[in-house]
Amino acid sequence: MILSLAPMEGVTGYVFRRVHAACFGPLSRYYTPFVAPPHVGKGFVGRAKKELDPQANEGLDVTPQLLTRDADRFVWAAGLLAQMGYREVNLNLGCPSGTVVSKGKGSGFLREPGELEAFLQDVCERSPLPVSVKTRIGIECDEEYEQILAVFCRCPLAELIVHPRLQRDAYRGAPRWEPYGRTLEAAPFDVSYNGDIFSVEDYERLTSAFPQTRHVMLGRGVLANPALPRMVRGGMPASAVELRHFHDALFGAYLDEMGGNAVMRMKEWWLYSSCAFANERAVRKRVRSVKKVADYEAAVERIFGSEPLAPVARYRGEA
Ligand SMILES: Cc1cc2nc3c(=O)[nH]c(=O)nc-3n(C[C@H](O)[C@H](O)[C@H](O)COP(=O)(O)O)c2cc1C
């Protein structure tokens, strides 16, 4: 089974990927959080350049993800990525954010199946790298997926990763498994499942319902329980010592990368990782208002010193 780490903007960037792999072993595959392709003739700059730097991703199987509806820029970026040694490029058709959708990008592109098909046929033909897609099943209603799936099936994709929610769901409600099953049946290319796999039981339910499953992408489940991929493969849960070591390595790496802004990054991580503790609200409260590095370190000391771990670390929402 291929287990991959979901792209999560601001969360599963190269620092997280590297530290998680060092502490818990590498997943089969990683996807970068989305980056915008540069203008034709230009190179990647800023955050994208750092995220894609082959050295920062050394030893890991990483697929870059692009967010765009401009075929020329996609193909140009794919050329740059090929030169950097990447072997596949992924298109984001899932981002539900209003500002992205209003520009017809991310899941907003699903509103225009005709344009989407023209785009996909064009980039699949011209891209020097195989093109995979990460998608939602529509914007407003489940019925939209029939037409969208038909579009995908006519394109020579390398893989389709299905997050079976609508744009309007954001991350609410249960993902629909039926459209995932339909995709497995219909697609002439590889298919992957993503959404709400937060425990070994969730994983087993999915793979029992769909034994043809060959690739599961894990997101928030890994943030709440960094040992989840290991557990899915029959390994042990994370001990308190392992969790502390992982935290310290992650914070240290963010400090090296961004100085005091590391505290903000870690506060976002705690939204998820607090689920590894019995009283997740108390854990979140301890870090919520902290701003300075020294105060953050003191809060972390108190968490690990006084908050017991939950019997099972499982993502339970951001309540
Ligand atoms: C904070 C955050 C950032 C995300 N950023 C991206 C992204 O850059 N690209 C993408 O395709 N999906 C992104 N997603 C969606 C995740 O990749 C994934 O589809 C979603 O979390 C559902 O999977 P899960 O239930 O395993 O977490 C993001 C989700 C969250 C919560």
Side-chain angles (χ1 to χ4, degrees):
M1 181 67 75
I2 297 167
L3 291 180
S4 67
L5 184 65
M8 294 178 72
E9 219 272 305
V11 190
T12 60
Y14 65 97
V15 171
F16 183 91
R17 294 196 292 272
R18 247 184 0 218
V19 174
H20 183 270
C23 293
F24 290 94
L27 280 85
S28 331
R29 235 181 248 178
Y30 298 82
Y31 292 79
T32 72
F34 69 77
V35 298
H39 286 284
V40 174
K42 305 273 193 227
F44 287 104
V45 292
R47 178 180 77 81
K49 189 175 175 191
K50 283 189 177 177
E51 186 60 39
L52 299 167
D53 178 357
Q55 263 186 332
N57 293 299
E58 213 176 339
L60 303 180
D61 185 345
V62 176
T63 298
Q65 185 187 69
L66 300 177
L67 179 77
T68 188
R69 55 175 293 131
D70 181 322
D72 291 337
R73 283 174 68 170
F74 185 100
V75 172
W76 168 254
L80 297 176
L81 294 168
Q83 282 167 23
M84 293 159 100
Y86 289 103
R87 287 174 301 169
E88 181 182 313
V89 58
N90 182 265
L91 174 71
N92 178 321
L93 292 179
C95 182
S97 134
T99 47
V100 168
V101 170
S102 65
K103 294 181 194 135
K105 298 187 212 172
S107 59
F109 212 165
L110 302 175
R111 214 190 283 282
E112 306 159 273
E115 272 87 355
L116 177 62
E117 178 160 2
F119 173 94
L120 287 174
Q121 296 286 7
D122 185 16
V123 298
C124 287
E125 191 177 315
R126 290 195 289 141
S127 167
L129 293 178
V131 177
S132 62
V133 165
K134 178 166 178 280
T135 192
R136 287 186 181 242
I137 57 169
I139 301 276
E140 288 291 330
C141 65
D142 292 20
E143 288 65 39
E144 293 168 31
Y145 191 55
E146 192 178 338
Q147 200 183 355
I148 293 166
L149 178 57
V151 165
F152 291 142
C153 288
R154 287 193 292 269
C155 297
L157 302 180
E159 183 167 32
L160 181 65
I161 303 160
V162 185
H163 177 63
R165 284 191 170 99
L166 298 165
Q167 182 268 336
R168 69 153 199 210
D169 298 331
Y171 296 102
R172 291 180 298 271
R176 280 70 135 184
W177 283 10
E178 186 277 326
Y180 166 64
R182 226 182 322 145
T183 313
L184 280 172
E185 296 293 325
F189 36 71
D190 290 341
V191 173
S192 163
Y193 176 84
N194 165 246
D196 290 26
I197 301 299
F198 299 146
S199 65
V200 175
E201 292 71 31
D202 292 341
Y203 172 84
E204 284 174 350
R205 259 198 307 276
L206 178 82
T207 50
S208 305
F210 302 102
Q212 321 90 299
T213 299
R214 48 168 292 286
H215 174 184
V216 177
M217 173 183 272
L218 305 169
R220 292 165 298 174
V222 177
L223 299 173
N225 174 10
L228 181 61
R230 181 172 82 192
M231 292 169 69
V232 160
R233 297 207 189 280
M236 298 291 288
S239 67
V241 170
E242 268 186 309
L243 205 57
R244 177 71 204 247
H245 173 67
F246 178 51
H247 168 276
D248 292 354
L250 191 60
F251 185 44
Y254 279 136
L255 276 175
D256 290 346
E257 185 59 34
M258 58 183 68
N261 289 339
V263 171
M264 291 305 292
R265 272 297 154 98
M266 293 307 292
K267 282 167 71 169
E268 179 140 17
W269 178 76
W270 278 108
L271 290 178
Y272 303 96
S273 62
S274 52
C275 296
F277 291 82
N279 188 344
E280 65 190 273
R281 280 172 188 273
V283 169
R284 285 176 194 172
K285 205 166 152 214
R286 283 193 193 276
V287 288
R288 190 171 299 147
S289 53
V290 165
K291 292 198 175 65
K292 295 199 180 103
V293 170
D295 297 338
Y296 175 77
E297 284 171 335
V300 167
E301 220 39 70
R302 281 194 294 275
I303 291 171
F304 281 103
S306 63
E307 297 291 342
L309 291 187
V312 181
R314 187 184 199 282
Y315 182 69
R316 292 186 291 266
E318 290 182 28

